[in-house]
Each structure stands twice: as structure tokens, then as C-alpha cells.
Amino acid sequence: MNDRHAETANSLRDEKTTGTEIRPTICSICNPGSHCGVDAYVKNRRIVKVKGSMETHNAGTLCAKGAAGRQYVYHADRLTTPLIRTGERGTGRFEPVSWKDALSLISKRLNEIKTQTGPESVIFYAGYPKWMRPFLKRLAHSFGSPNYASESSTCHTAVKLAAILNYGEDVSPEVDRAKCLLVWSRNPFYSNPPRSRGLLVARKKGLKIIEVGPLVTPLTRHADIHLRIRPGTSGALALALAHVIIEEGIYDRDFVNRWTLGFDEYQNLARGFAPDAAEKITGVPAELIVRAARLFAGSKPAAIMTGASPTVHHTNGLQNQRAINALVGLTGNFDVPGGNHVFPSNYLYISNGVETRDGEFMQSRPWSEMAPRVGEDKHPVWCRFIPEAHSMMAPFQIRSQKPYPIRGMLAFGLNYRMWPGSDFARESFKKLDFLVDVDLFMTDTAKLADVVLPACSSYERSELKFYPEKRILWTRPAIEPLGQSRSDADIIFDLAETLAPDDDLLRSGYEASVDWILKPSGFKVADLKQYPRGLIVNDVSIPPYRKYEKEGFKTPSGKMEFTSIVLADHGLDSLPIYREPVLSPVSAPETAKDFPLILTTGARLPFFIHSRAYRVPRLLHFQPDPMADMNPVDARERDLNQGDWVLLSTSRGAVRVRANLTETVPPGVVNMYHGRPEADVNTLIDPDYRDPISGFPAFKSLLCEVKKAPE
Ligand SMILES: Nc1nc2c(c(=O)[nH]1)N[C@H]1C(S)=C(S)[C@@H](COP(=O)(O)OP(=O)(O)OC[C@H]3O[C@@H](n4cnc5c(=O)[nH]c(N)nc54)[C@H](O)[C@@H]3O)O[C@H]1N2
Ligand SMILES: Nc1nc2c(c(=O)[nH]1)N[C@H]1C(S)=C(S)[C@@H](COP(=O)(O)OP(=O)(O)OC[C@H]3O[C@@H](n4cnc5c(=O)[nH]c(N)nc54)[C@H](O)[C@@H]3O)O[C@H]1N2
Ligand SMILES: [Mo]
């Protein structure tokens, strides 16, 4: 293989004098595209220090979460043995059992449910951790259940769905070749620090940046223009940009004439969003809208980078995202160098050109041989294009038992605080006949389970990693799994013996399954093991540009669709119509009398990640008490000072937090991070406050009030 790749790393160094060995591995606390290379300094089989690897994309750096890796791995609350519940659900009373007993109980109960009410009565679920997903999905389908579900029912898949409806495929921005980048509701400095450096490099080379989002972020000072929208109004802003671009004739006429469907209707729709009208809706000055439209359409090539979730966490999120996407085609930046490139993922959400057959691996049984998925009745468009069950609908179906009962769940990293109306989700999960949760910690969700299994961290396991820079890696554990904890993959492959006895491939084991997935690449796990920091694969096939010229678009019309045929077929708006958030000062003036402020939740913080970082002292110290950000103007009106304890409330409830007075949030808006056990902001959001098409929760635009908390 030597002519195919360059090794990216030197070999391991032994520091004989100190007895400390440097072991390369990865930190996997955040998104799969980052997962920084780490040098773990190991002495007496314990990690004594972690350092960012110099040889990987993070170039020697680690973020706050990564740097706290040792406190995470060696946390006193780490689960170290399998547990079976002995007390009431939620009380946390468990007793240790052997792996053998735990796994045989799980097999017995899940197979019983399968016999009694069908395999579809069991959900196989993965939370934010993603690395076990290919194996878990295959296990579900080989068991006979269509219900593999994940956190992706709140994350990215609605963005992807919008792109599929517009273009037939998902697209990604080519930052390094673009002349102008429209960064729409994304804060890479917090959400993806090692990759945000590319943005600064491009900026130095002259990249123009337009930032869209209500919050001031570290990107703002690098942006040429910041369009500070009212939360939830992205669709109106996108249509206003289209209005200017069309009126001024600075769109790509040739592309629009030859390759698009529904331009006339779209143009008519955009006519209603002249900059002055849009200013009233979005709060963005008309003059800035015009400037941004001219800059974006006047730069060739230009690309749009949207976040994985903030544009779609609204009741009109999917259509807003479609309105944003439409700008790519309108300006002729679709699938061109430096625009938005169609580059399908190769393995676990990463596009790098190294061919695999992961899709084939995961779907071991066709949908037609299984029951309808959870959520298929309510969100058919999402289910048509996203090959999963809709986890947002699981709490409802567990209660209603319609169209069929859901009774069992095998979950890896289940966190009920991820759901809107998290208390509702919690009570739903309590109703299951049998719940298994695999986690590193005894979380509040794990306390609801019948069986809790201890997973190990990325420092203690081996996994296949793909990175955008054409790098592939089989990671090495730096230490043995703590206590009796095990890797998620080992647990899945053990369970396959009894839950999927007919699946010979799954039963051939973990590494053999990965070899099968990797077959088209020509690599095997055994080859990759020789390269502790991975390989750069040189001869990959990066998809060409303007593929549509040969193949057409993968939409029903074969064109880019301003008007979606699929949506029309489902009786939905085919145009990207703008609708107010269901709970906004404009659409719900009665509610706004008591709850006049706009609540947006979950904008990323550099030191927290969903539910996970709160237990790590070094990270909690950055924000010891729960905090809600509010503008000093709103604070003054309420007689509030920095750090005051306040009640943040919606019509559904209240949480007690400290007020953080900051101009990073505009007047009239309150921003709070989610997942906090003592102040769970998702209890303030109705479980059904969702986008009707994608089913995504509208975490980022609703109504609230802030008042001084009673002593
Ligand atoms: N440190 C850290 N990193 C993470 C995560 C984490 O929890 N912690 N989570 C990971 C996950 S799961 C995801 S999905 C990504 C998300 O990461 P990003 O896609 O970067 O999204 P956010 O940081 O949530 O929001 C980015 C910007 O969206 C804008 N925004 C906020 N509210 C609204 C709104 O109502 N409407 C619009 N249009 N824009 C709004 C704000 O200006 C905000 O700065 O981050 C990933 N990375
Ligand atoms: N209000 C509000 N709510 C939100 C969001 C928001 O912006 N606002 N964002 C939404 C989005 S985009 C997302 S992605 C979700 C986040 O989704 P969640 O799934 O809630 O994310 P986490 O809390 O990071 O992880 C869940 C669990 O996985 C466990 N875990 C970590 N690593 C492993 C592992 O290797 N193996 C196993 N078995 N378990 C592991 C953790 O300990 C934790 O208990 O939250 C969503 N909820
Ligand atoms: Mo996410």
C-alpha cells in the first residue's frame, strides 16, 4: 500500500527515564469531524497527562473539554460494573451483576418482547455519541426492528433534508476556495474549535464573511457584515436577500433558466420581502440586507455554511433552511469549486473520498420487510429521506402504544434532557417494560433503566475514524477499560449472538465487520493498526463539480427545486414560505403579555457539551451556577443585576438561574444553555413544540419572562 498513502505520524516514543509512555489516541467528546488526536502520557497504566497531538488537525491544541480529559475519564462516578435495578425507577438503587448475567437477561427480555408484540416493539437508540451507530443500526434491522433511532432527530438531519428537497443531495461549503462565506447561525469557534482555524486562514487570504445570527460570537469581529436577526426569522431574511439579488439582476440567469424549477413562484414570494418589510420582521436594518445581498451575489465563488441545528430548531425550521439553500442555486454556487459542493459522506458523517459500504452494512433488511418506523405517520417526508426512526416521536408512541406498542429500548447514551418537555420524555421512558442504558456514568436517565451497562471512553477502546483531510485511523486505546467497563462495540457484538443469530456478518465480530465495511477502500483493520496516528490516503476519488450537468439533479424534476414536488405531494407548501415562530411576540401577542422576551436555548458554549461536562469540575468551574444571558436593557427594566438569582419562566414552568448581563444577546432575547440537571431549560418547552415537517424541536424561538427569584 505504500504508493497509496503517506503515514501521518512518527512512531511511538518511549520515555524510559521517567517510565512514562506517550500513547497516541483520540478525544471523542465532541463532533466526529474534530475528535482531536491526543498524546496520552501513561505511567503505571494510568493517564498522567493529555496533550494535543502535533501530527493531527488540532496541531497540538486541545479545547477546554479535551484538556479536562483526565477528569472525565477518571471521574469517581464512572460506572465500573453492569447493574440491575432493585429499587423503583429513578431512585438509583441497583445491584452489580456479572456481564454474563446482564447480557443474558437483556437477550431474554428483548427476545420475549419480539415474540409477544413483534421486533418493532424494541427501539435501538444512540445518543450524541456516534461511533457505535453502524453496528447498532445493523443489530436493530437484523433483530427485525425498523426502529433504530438517534439524537439525529434533533440534529443536522433537518438541514440535510432541506438540501435533499432543494437539490436532491446534501452539500457542504468549500471554505478554502470561496471568496465570500455566508456563515448562517454557526459559531465554529465554540462548536468546532480545531476546525475554526481554517476560517481564519481563509480570512487572512481575503475571504469575505457575512455572519447571520442573533448572538455576538467570536466570529463577529472577523465578519464584514453581521446580520443580527430576531430568533426564528431566518426564512424572512433569506427571502429578503433573494429579493435584492433578483431585483438587481445579480443572480445566475443561465443556471436558473436551465436547471431550476419554480423560479417564477419563488420570485413572487421574494417580492413580499423587500428590505424595508424584512427589517420589520427580522430586525436587521434594510441597508445591511442590501449590502449583504450585493456582497454575496457579487463574489464568485461564494458559499453558505449553516450550523448543524440552529437554523432548524424552529417551528418553521425546515422551510427557513430551504429558503437559505435556495440562495446557493440562485447565485450559481451549487456544486462549483469554492461554492457548496456535493460530497456524500464516506463513513460516519465524514466525507473524505475513501470508499466504504457503510450504508449497505447498516441496512441489513429492507424497510419493506419491517413495520413502519416510529414517526413515519407524523413525519413522512423526514422518514422518506432519513434512514432512521424519529426519536422525537418515541415518548409519544410509548404512551399511546399506537400504531403499535413500543415496550423495550436498548440505548447507548440516552439522555431524556435532550427532548423538549424533558419531564414528559422521562415519564414516557419510565413506562417501558424493559429499558437498557449503556453509559459511562450513572446519569439521571440511566437511573430509570432496568439494566445499566458500563461503557468505556475513547481512551480505552479502538475504533475506525475518518477525517475530512483524507485521513483514516484505527485508534489505539491508551489504557485498559476502567473496572469492568467495555467498549460499546463489544457489547453490541456480544448481544448479536442472541439478538441476531442469523446475521453471519455481525456474528463474525467487530474487526471482521469493519473489514467488510472498508472493503472498497482496499484497507483492512490489520493494515491500519500499524499507523497509530493514521494514514493520509492519496488516491481517493473526490467527486467532480457540476455533476448535475451529466446526471441531472436527484430531485423528482431532475432540477434544483425552488418549489418542491415532494412537499407538494405531501400536501405541504412547495415554496419555502416564511411563517412566524408559533410562539413569538408577533404570532402570540396574548402569551407575550406575560412572556414578552424571546427565549433561544442551546447556543454552544466552549466548555459544555450537552449533558456531559457538568460533572467535570474543571469545566463546571467556568459556569458553576446555571445562567441565562440577557441584555442589560432588559435587566434594568426588571431591576436585575449581574448574577442575581432569577426565575426564567415560560407558560410551561420555571427554572432558577443566575442572570448574566451581556450585550452578546440583543435586547428582547434571553439565551440559555441546555441539559443542566438543576435548571433544565427543556422542561420549559412543550414536547410538541416542533416543526411539523421535520419533527425537529423548536428549541431556539419561544417566549419567556425573567423575574427576580424569591429568596
Ligand atoms: N463546545 C461544544 N461544541 C459543540 C456542542 C456542544 O454542546 N458544545 N454540540 C455539538 C452539536 S450537537 C451541534 S448540533 C453543534 C452546533 O453548533 P453550531 O452549529 O455552531 O450552533 P450554535 O453554537 O448552537 O449556534 C450558532 C449560532 O446560531 C445563532 N442562533 C442562536 N439562536 C438562533 C436562532 O434562533 N435563529 C438563528 N437563525 N440562529 C440562532 C447564534 O448567533 C449562535 O451563535 O455544535 C457541536 N459542538
Ligand atoms: N434546549 C436544547 N436542547 C437540545 C439542543 C439545543 O440546542 N437546545 N440541542 C440538541 C442537539 S443538536 C443534540 S445533538 C442533542 C444532544 O444529545 P445528547 O444525546 O443529550 O448528548 P450528550 O448529553 O452529549 O450525550 C448523551 C449521553 O451519552 C453518554 N456517552 C458519552 N460518550 C459515550 C460513549 O462512548 N458510549 C456510550 N454508551 N455513552 C456515551 C454521555 O455520558 C451522556 O449521558 O441535544 C439536543 N437538545
Ligand atoms: Mo447536535
Side-chain angles (χ1 to χ4, degrees):
M1 354 187 261
N2 278 333
D3 52 339
R4 290 196 56 199
H5 62 257
E7 190 182 348
T8 65
N10 56 11
S11 52
L12 311 186
R13 283 167 293 162
D14 249 330
E15 297 194 349
K16 293 225 167 56
T17 43
T18 59
T20 307
E21 201 184 321
I22 301 173
R23 298 193 179 157
T25 187
I26 60 160
C27 164
S28 78
I29 194 119
C30 70
N31 14 325
S34 305
H35 286 189
C36 293
V38 169
D39 285 344
Y41 287 62
V42 178
K43 188 172 185 176
N44 299 330
R45 301 162 71 188
R46 270 181 78 86
I47 302 170
V48 292
K49 181 167 103 174
V50 293
K51 251 178 88 176
S53 161
M54 287 304 293
E55 273 96 349
T56 47
H57 60 274
N58 47 310
T61 63
L62 286 177
C63 75
K65 304 182 295 311
R70 260 167 28 89
Q71 284 194 350
Y72 181 73
V73 171
Y74 291 116
H75 199 286
D77 296 347
R78 272 287 298 270
L79 292 167
T80 53
T81 104
L83 298 165
I84 291 188
R85 187 167 53 79
T86 52
E88 285 290 300
R89 283 189 197 275
T91 54
R93 283 206 297 282
F94 287 86
E95 76 185 18
V97 286
S98 68
W99 272 103
K100 187 162 166 280
D101 288 351
L103 294 179
S104 62
L105 176 68
I106 294 168
S107 299
K108 179 171 157 278
R109 294 297 312 276
L110 296 184
N111 277 325
E112 264 169 22
I113 293 176
K114 176 174 171 173
T115 315
Q116 290 161 357
T117 46
E120 60 275 16
S121 292
V122 179
I123 294 181
F124 295 73
Y125 176 83
Y128 188 67
K130 298 182 169 62
W131 79 285
M132 80 295 278
R133 291 181 178 190
F135 318 109
L136 184 66
K137 183 164 189 232
R138 186 173 174 102
L139 178 66
H141 294 339
S142 293
F143 178 78
S145 176
N147 291 322
Y148 157 77
S150 77
E151 136 284 5
S152 298
S153 301
T154 68
C155 187
H156 184 69
T157 55
V159 174
K160 180 172 173 172
L161 176 61
I164 291 172
L165 295 172
N166 283 116
Y167 299 112
E169 284 169 287
D170 203 0
V171 290
S172 41
E174 276 198 351
V175 176
D176 50 341
R177 299 171 82 173
K179 292 231 167 58
C180 174
L181 189 68
L182 182 48
V183 184
W184 205 299
S185 299
R186 181 153 173 177
N187 177 10
F189 292 92
Y190 288 176
S191 61
N192 197 339
R195 300 280 176 198
S196 59
R197 220 170 309 122
L199 216 58
L200 293 183
V201 172
R203 175 76 181 155
K204 281 220 174 80
K205 289 196 210 144
L207 176 74
K208 300 282 184 203
I209 296 177
I210 305 168
E211 184 186 20
V212 181
L215 309 183
V216 172
T217 73
L219 181 69
T220 310
R221 74 189 162 94
H222 303 286
D224 297 278
I225 302 177
H226 181 200
L227 305 177
R228 212 173 180 194
I229 51 166
R230 168 162 69 89
T233 62
S234 286
L237 177 63
L239 289 166
L241 294 172
H243 174 98
V244 177
I245 293 169
I246 298 170
E247 291 298 306
E248 300 198 354
I250 47 178
Y251 64 100
D252 188 328
R253 274 172 213 275
D254 186 49
F255 179 87
V256 166
N257 290 339
R258 287 175 61 196
W259 292 109
T260 66
L261 178 77
F263 179 70
D264 291 345
E265 291 103 305
Y266 171 67
Q267 180 175 10
N268 270 338
L269 175 65
R271 282 209 179 100
F273 293 85
D276 286 336
E279 174 173 340
K280 294 199 180 77
I281 304 172
T282 62
V284 178
E287 176 252 337
L288 272 192
I289 297 176
V290 174
R291 268 179 55 200
R294 288 179 185 159
L295 177 59
F296 182 69
S299 312
K300 289 272 151 80
I304 302 186
M305 175 193 259
T306 58
S309 58
T311 49
V312 288
H313 281 166
H314 303 277
T315 49
N316 197 43
L318 182 92
Q319 295 288 29
N320 289 352
Q321 181 71 38
R322 283 186 65 234
I324 299 168
N325 290 347
L327 298 169
V328 176
L330 183 68
T331 52
N333 285 302
F334 178 76
D335 215 19
V336 300
N340 286 76
H341 189 195
V342 176
F343 192 166
S345 125
N346 298 95
Y347 184 69
L348 267 179
Y349 313 101
I350 302 301
S351 313
N352 65 8
V354 179
E355 273 182 71
T356 67
R357 37 181 181 174
D358 63 343
E360 214 181 313
F361 177 84
M362 286 188 261
Q363 188 90 36
S364 60
R365 197 185 296 270
W367 295 124
S368 58
E369 289 177 15
M370 298 185 279
R373 282 165 275 164
V374 167
E376 215 169 317
D377 47 351
K378 292 280 187 314
H379 304 294
V381 180
W382 185 88
C383 281
R384 179 162 156 188
F385 296 102
I386 307 299
E388 302 190 6
H390 207 304
S391 62
M392 289 301 106
M393 295 310 294
F396 295 99
Q397 192 167 335
I398 292 168
R399 287 174 186 235
S400 71
Q401 302 281 321
K402 285 196 176 82
Y404 55 79
I406 294 294
R407 299 171 49 212
M409 193 156 168
L410 172 61
F412 290 76
L414 178 66
N415 169 29
Y416 67 76
R417 291 203 176 92
M418 178 191 94
W419 272 261
S422 44
D423 49 322
F424 178 89
R426 178 180 191 272
E427 293 311 304
S428 298
F429 295 136
K430 278 169 82 174
K431 291 182 196 297
L432 287 165
D433 288 343
F434 190 65
L435 172 62
V436 181
D437 192 22
V438 186
D439 206 299
L440 278 78
F441 302 99
M442 179 54 81
T443 63
D444 289 342
T445 310
K447 286 179 189 159
L448 310 177
D450 298 278
V451 180
V452 178
L453 300 178
C456 66
S457 71
S458 61
Y459 285 91
E460 303 150 73
R461 68 187 185 216
S462 286
E463 67 191 274
L464 179 64
K465 282 294 312 171
F466 274 38
Y467 290 98
E469 64 277 9
K470 299 194 276 187
R471 197 158 63 89
I472 62 173
L473 165 69
W474 179 260
T475 70
R476 290 185 184 187
I479 50 168
E480 294 285 302
L482 297 197
Q484 291 180 46
S485 68
R486 297 181 71 199
S487 104
D488 298 295
D490 289 345
I491 298 170
I492 292 170
F493 282 91
D494 270 5
L495 285 171
E497 296 288 324
T498 48
L499 296 181
D502 300 330
D503 186 337
D504 293 335
L505 176 52
L506 217 44
R507 294 192 61 196
S508 69
Y510 179 32
E511 291 188 17
S513 291
V514 177
D515 279 347
W516 193 93
I517 293 171
L518 277 174
K519 184 89 190 297
S521 75
F523 290 107
K524 286 188 151 201
V525 172
D527 307 325
L528 299 180
K529 279 183 178 171
Q530 298 161 41
Y531 304 96
R533 288 190 176 92
L535 296 171
I536 301 282
V537 184
N538 289 320
D539 65 342
V540 296
S541 47
I542 304 295
Y545 299 98
R546 294 193 175 86
K547 296 176 275 297
Y548 59 88
E549 288 182 348
K550 275 207 182 122
E551 307 155 7
F553 285 78
K554 292 185 177 142
T555 52
S557 62
K559 293 185 167 179
M560 178 213 149
E561 299 192 351
F562 287 116
T563 48
S564 163
I565 292 181
V566 172
L567 291 179
D569 283 352
H570 282 84
L572 299 160
D573 291 323
S574 70
L575 279 165
I577 302 282
Y578 171 70
R579 286 177 208 286
E580 272 292 311
V582 168
L583 288 175
S584 89
V586 180
S587 57
E590 276 306 308
T591 312
K593 281 185 188 150
D594 294 329
F595 302 99
L597 298 167
I598 296 171
L599 176 61
T600 176
T601 68
R604 298 327 184 216
L605 291 168
F607 40 80
F608 287 155
I609 180 142
H610 309 301
S611 67
R612 276 186 266 166
Y614 297 124
R615 63 165 56 78
V616 180
R618 204 169 144 173
L619 298 173
L620 187 62
H621 126 109
F622 289 108
Q623 197 184 92
D625 294 316
M627 278 195 149
D629 302 329
M630 65 190 301
N631 192 281
V633 170
D634 298 315
R636 221 170 294 132
E637 275 176 18
R638 290 163 178 77
D639 198 20
L640 299 173
N641 293 310
Q642 173 66 19
D644 280 355
W645 282 101
V646 295
L647 285 181
L648 168 64
S649 58
T650 67
S651 52
R652 197 169 187 272
V655 291
R656 199 166 173 273
V657 300
R658 282 185 191 273
N660 183 38
L661 276 44
T662 164
E663 300 203 334
T664 59
V665 293
V669 174
V670 174
N671 173 47
M672 160 126 193
Y673 198 68
H674 59 290
R676 193 127 192 172
E678 72 276 40
D680 176 358
V681 75
N682 285 10
T683 60
L684 309 187
I685 308 175
D686 195 79
D688 231 350
Y689 191 59
R690 294 179 300 114
D691 178 323
I693 307 175
S694 71
F696 269 45
F699 290 130
K700 288 186 171 62
S701 46
L702 59 152
L703 292 171
C704 73
E705 177 55 300
V706 176
K707 287 197 175 125
K708 198 166 262 180
E711 282 307 306

